[in-house]
Amino acid sequence: MLIAGNWKMNLDMPAARHLAGSIRNSLEDPRPVEVVLCPAYAYLDAVYGLVHGSVVSVGAQNMHAQDAGAFTGEISASMLRSVGCSHVILGHSERRQYFGETDASVREKVAQAVLFGLVPIVCVGESLVERDAGQAERVVAGQVRGALKGVAYPGKGRLVVAYEPVWAIGTGRTASPDEAQAMHAHIRSELAGLFSTGDAAHIDILYGGSMKPENADDLLSQPDIDGGLIGGASLQADPFLAIVRAAMRAG
Ligand code: 13P
């Protein structure tokens, strides 16, 4: 089980430090759940300093596919490694929607992340129009293939996929546990086709989209839901920790 908090473009430095410290202090013992915090770039180093040595690790929300050069405003995999990141979210629907990211650009980034030893959290998910048109499975399968085809399987625990239906992000509307489970099983079968059935079994598939303490138990107890990518509910320690505890129960 893996619970990741995507803080998006929220919080200032004192609030980021306070949140990371509170989460870290509540999770001191070794736990069967991996916890990853993904703050804005400016806070990565500070958050890493606070959680380093605990069960909490740090991820970025995006990165560039090149390692260095004239790319004003961008950040590379090796830079993220140098400030303590172990994970990076790639292809989030907000990146696809507002910043023109495509399956092809996501794939380049995934390959680069793997090369530099970062665990990519590859986001996929259909829009409401696509779901209503009965296209959700086709769209998501295409995104999975588009982002991962030709990428060498990086090993157990070294690749994560997040299913985030766009219509459930920040809307308060969650996929039902059955809807989410059906899509996760579909994603796993696509992963089995790209890698192998055994490898696909070891890829954590997270659900994201209005996950909160009230629905976390039902979602996380589904057989193909291996954790959550949490937006709004990750911005305060209590709801986020409640979701982590739900993941412990779901084991
Ligand atoms: P919410 O949990 O706010 O719906 O956001 C989900 C998300 O986009 C996480 O990456």
Side-chain angles (χ1 to χ4, degrees):
M1 280 276 167
L2 190 163
I3 301 293
N6 177 6
W7 294 358
K8 305 191 182 184
M9 196 173 72
N10 292 298
L11 308 176
D12 59 13
M13 177 67 96
R17 294 180 63 92
H18 180 74
L19 180 56
S22 307
I23 292 167
R24 188 232 127 99
N25 290 341
S26 307
L27 294 172
E28 273 188 28
D29 303 325
R31 302 281 181 185
V33 174
E34 251 187 292
V35 176
V36 182
L37 302 181
C38 303
Y41 297 134
Y43 312 145
L44 287 170
D45 186 43
V47 168
Y48 179 71
L50 287 163
V51 303
H52 175 58
S54 77
V55 295
V56 181
S57 45
V58 178
Q61 299 173 16
N62 180 35
M63 57 165 240
H64 196 272
Q66 301 295 315
D67 192 45
F71 299 104
T72 301
E74 292 292 330
I75 196 160
S76 71
S78 58
M79 292 172 181
L80 296 178
R81 285 300 306 256
S82 76
V83 291
C85 285
S86 54
H87 292 69
V88 61
I89 297 170
L90 295 175
H92 191 281
S93 62
E94 289 150 15
R95 301 290 322 165
R96 295 175 190 257
Q97 193 177 346
Y98 305 131
F99 302 97
E101 298 211 10
T102 61
D103 289 339
S105 65
V106 175
R107 179 170 54 213
E108 279 183 51
K109 293 179 181 199
V110 170
Q112 180 78 351
V114 168
L115 190 65
F116 281 81
L118 287 165
V119 178
I121 302 175
V122 181
C123 300
V124 296
E126 81 286 359
S127 68
L128 190 55
V129 172
E130 289 161 342
R131 174 155 286 259
D132 287 345
Q135 296 294 313
E137 294 204 341
R138 188 188 59 77
V139 167
V140 169
Q143 290 173 333
V144 170
R145 281 195 302 274
L148 296 175
K149 204 174 166 78
V151 173
Y153 177 67
K156 191 174 171 181
R158 306 302 302 168
L159 172 63
V160 177
V161 174
Y163 170 56
E164 299 205 307
V166 176
W167 46 270
I169 295 177
T171 59
R173 184 178 162 194
T174 320
S176 72
D178 288 347
E179 281 171 328
Q181 165 56 29
M183 188 61 88
H184 280 229
H186 185 64
I187 291 170
R188 205 176 301 283
S189 75
E190 280 299 324
L191 294 170
L194 285 168
F195 304 115
S196 72
T197 306
D199 292 340
H202 293 300
I203 297 174
D204 282 337
I205 306 177
L206 314 183
Y207 171 79
S210 298
M211 191 186 275
K212 40 189 184 272
E214 299 76 43
N215 58 31
D217 281 299
D218 286 344
L219 286 162
L220 294 170
S221 57
Q222 298 298 316
D224 286 295
I225 300 187
D226 306 312
L229 181 54
I230 321 300
S234 73
L235 294 173
Q236 289 178 315
D238 286 348
F240 185 70
L241 290 165
I243 295 172
V244 173
R245 283 193 291 271
M248 289 172 190
R249 285 192 289 276

